[in-house]
Amino acid sequence: MNIVVNGEDISIENTSTVADLLKKLDQDSKKVVVELNETIVSKSDYSEIKISDGDSFEIIQFVPGG
Amino acid sequence: MIKVNEKKHPFENGITLFQLREKFKPDADIVVYNGFPVADDLSLRDGDQVCFIRRGEIPDAEEMKQLIISRHSPKVHEKIQNKCVGIAGAGGLGSSLAIALARLSVGKLVIADFDVVEPSNLNRQQYFIDQIGLFKVDALKANLGKINPFLDVDPINRKLDESNLGATFKECDVIAECFDNPESKSIIVEFVLSKFNKPIVAVSGIAGFENAHELKCRNLMKNLYVIGDGLTAAAPGMGLMAPKVGIAAHMQANKILELLLKM
């Protein structure tokens, strides 16, 4: 399956949900904001929302400091 | 019509700046012409704004207000004086950002934090030794009042979470994310982008002292601006220091100004 993450085309296998994708990308789900096809995905839906071929994600991971 | 110390007066054709000073405040040694200090005489034009200030003199409250306004860039002050900015967190980012926005005379600031001032804050946060133990929001309101007492500052002593973010910032035109920990950054950004149709200016990647030029403001999603390098995390051996935190806070202030002027 081919998707776009932060403007880059990537190919993924065995990844069905947003939560799976975050794990695969080594992103901590508590520290990210995820946009799927220009709609914000709320954290409580990460395990529910299925990824489809051609989906476009923006994923921002925040780091400490302020 | 011309404005002298923010009061309107009929324009006299042919009058010069120094002739006007002679008339209004002959002992003024600072002359601000259309928001900019000038040393030389010049011919005035209809619509000009002029301010005469006596160095070191503390004017009464009404004149003080006018003199603070005098240095605001024309057409900027008029637009931001009725705007409201929400500041989530009053630490290194929030305290410096609030000061910059107060100096700009943004009309209202809603500042939320639950913490008290403690000695380890003083390396980068805009508080003083005699404020240790005070709630940050109260200490910051006091400090802002010493810079610009004509603003509406709403200090909210509260730990922010999904249950109260909406009520806390509903009247704000723009929200600034000024938290320290990434989980809180993530929560407020997700909340604002999904529940409000208003911009949020967040920060990520400002630790240490190296590569300050890598601090950028990026528009990463609709209504989301993130300042920082996106990578340099605060961690043992990679502390937070006044210079880079201050740069980021002022980049936040500048982006917020730009957003307010576009509204």
Side-chain angles (χ1 to χ4, degrees):
Chain A
M1 183 160 56
N2 294 309
I3 61 170
V4 179
V5 176
N6 297 346
E8 275 185 47
D9 295 317
I10 64 168
S11 181
I12 50 167
E13 303 301 330
N14 308 320
T15 306
S16 65
T17 66
V18 175
D20 294 337
L21 176 66
L22 291 172
K23 199 173 278 179
K24 185 157 272 194
L25 296 172
D26 206 20
Q27 303 271 318
D28 181 340
S29 62
K30 290 198 171 107
K31 301 178 184 173
V32 297
V33 173
V34 177
E35 194 183 58
L36 167 56
N37 301 330
E38 302 192 350
T39 302
I40 297 293
V41 182
S42 81
K43 286 187 208 318
S44 51
D45 295 338
Y46 287 171
S47 303
E48 311 295 322
I49 293 191
K50 301 264 189 277
I51 299 178
S52 309
D53 192 47
D55 275 348
S56 179
F57 287 89
E58 281 293 324
I59 301 172
I60 298 161
Q61 168 143 268
F62 289 96
V63 301
Chain B
M1 203 66 81
I2 58 169
K3 269 183 165 180
V4 180
N5 289 14
E6 291 302 312
K7 284 189 186 132
K8 287 179 180 162
H9 295 276
F11 175 67
E12 298 169 45
N13 214 1
I15 194 167
T16 73
L17 189 58
F18 287 2
Q19 285 167 353
L20 195 72
R21 174 172 63 182
E22 216 40 53
K23 204 168 146 186
F24 282 91
K25 198 170 176 69
D27 61 351
D29 47 11
I30 298 173
V31 178
V32 181
Y33 172 70
N34 290 340
F36 200 79
V38 293
D40 298 321
D41 201 8
L42 49 83
S43 299
L44 292 172
R45 285 175 297 187
D46 201 16
D48 280 346
Q49 299 184 22
V50 178
C51 228
F52 300 118
I53 300 170
R54 171 84 186 144
R55 200 183 295 271
E57 184 180 273
I58 297 184
D60 62 36
E62 187 48 36
E63 201 185 352
M64 178 72 86
K65 187 174 183 178
Q66 290 153 5
L67 297 182
I68 290 173
I69 292 169
S70 76
R71 195 64 197 273
H72 291 325
S73 299
K75 298 197 172 66
V76 170
H77 177 64
E78 292 83 345
K79 287 198 85 164
I80 64 176
Q81 62 183 340
N82 298 317
K83 297 287 192 233
C84 175
V85 175
I87 301 178
L93 293 168
S95 61
S96 291
L97 169 64
I99 286 176
L101 297 178
R103 292 194 189 280
L104 281 168
S105 293
V106 170
K108 179 167 186 181
L109 304 178
V110 175
I111 307 172
D113 198 295
F114 67 95
D115 216 347
V116 295
V117 178
E118 46 96 356
S120 79
N121 299 147
L122 298 179
N123 83 321
R124 68 188 191 287
Q125 305 187 18
Q126 306 298 337
Y127 300 105
F128 301 98
I129 283 173
D130 63 4
Q131 294 180 317
I132 288 169
L134 298 180
F135 286 118
K136 285 183 176 176
V137 290
D138 295 332
L140 188 52
K141 182 179 165 88
N143 296 345
L144 298 176
K146 290 182 184 179
I147 292 167
N148 187 337
F150 308 106
L151 305 176
D152 185 359
V153 177
D154 188 3
I156 296 181
N157 189 45
R158 175 184 298 162
K159 191 164 171 57
L160 294 170
D161 58 35
E162 295 96 326
S163 71
N164 56 31
L165 278 167
T168 305
F169 295 123
K170 65 175 185 299
E171 67 178 309
C172 300
D173 297 294
V174 180
I175 291 152
E177 178 283 304
C178 298
F179 292 137
D180 187 40
N181 86 68
E183 290 87 353
S184 302
K185 289 174 184 289
S186 161
I187 286 168
I188 189 172
V189 170
E190 185 180 303
F191 184 92
V192 171
L193 295 181
S194 53
K195 302 288 196 299
F196 283 149
N197 183 24
K198 52 180 88 171
I200 178 164
V201 182
V203 172
S204 185
I206 54 165
F209 63 88
E210 291 176 314
N211 298 324
H213 62 281
E214 298 293 341
L215 301 182
K216 301 273 192 285
C217 179
R218 293 171 294 161
N219 180 198
L220 295 176
M221 295 175 184
K222 179 175 181 265
N223 280 333
L224 173 63
Y225 300 84
V226 181
I227 284 154
D229 63 20
L231 295 170
T232 312
M238 183 59 82
L240 295 165
M241 291 180 265
K244 269 174 86 173
V245 174
I247 292 168
H250 284 84
M251 287 176 74
Q252 265 183 306
N254 201 57
K255 178 49 72 178
I256 288 167
L257 175 61
E258 194 187 313
L259 291 167
L260 293 176
L261 290 174
K262 279 188 200 152
M263 285 176 182

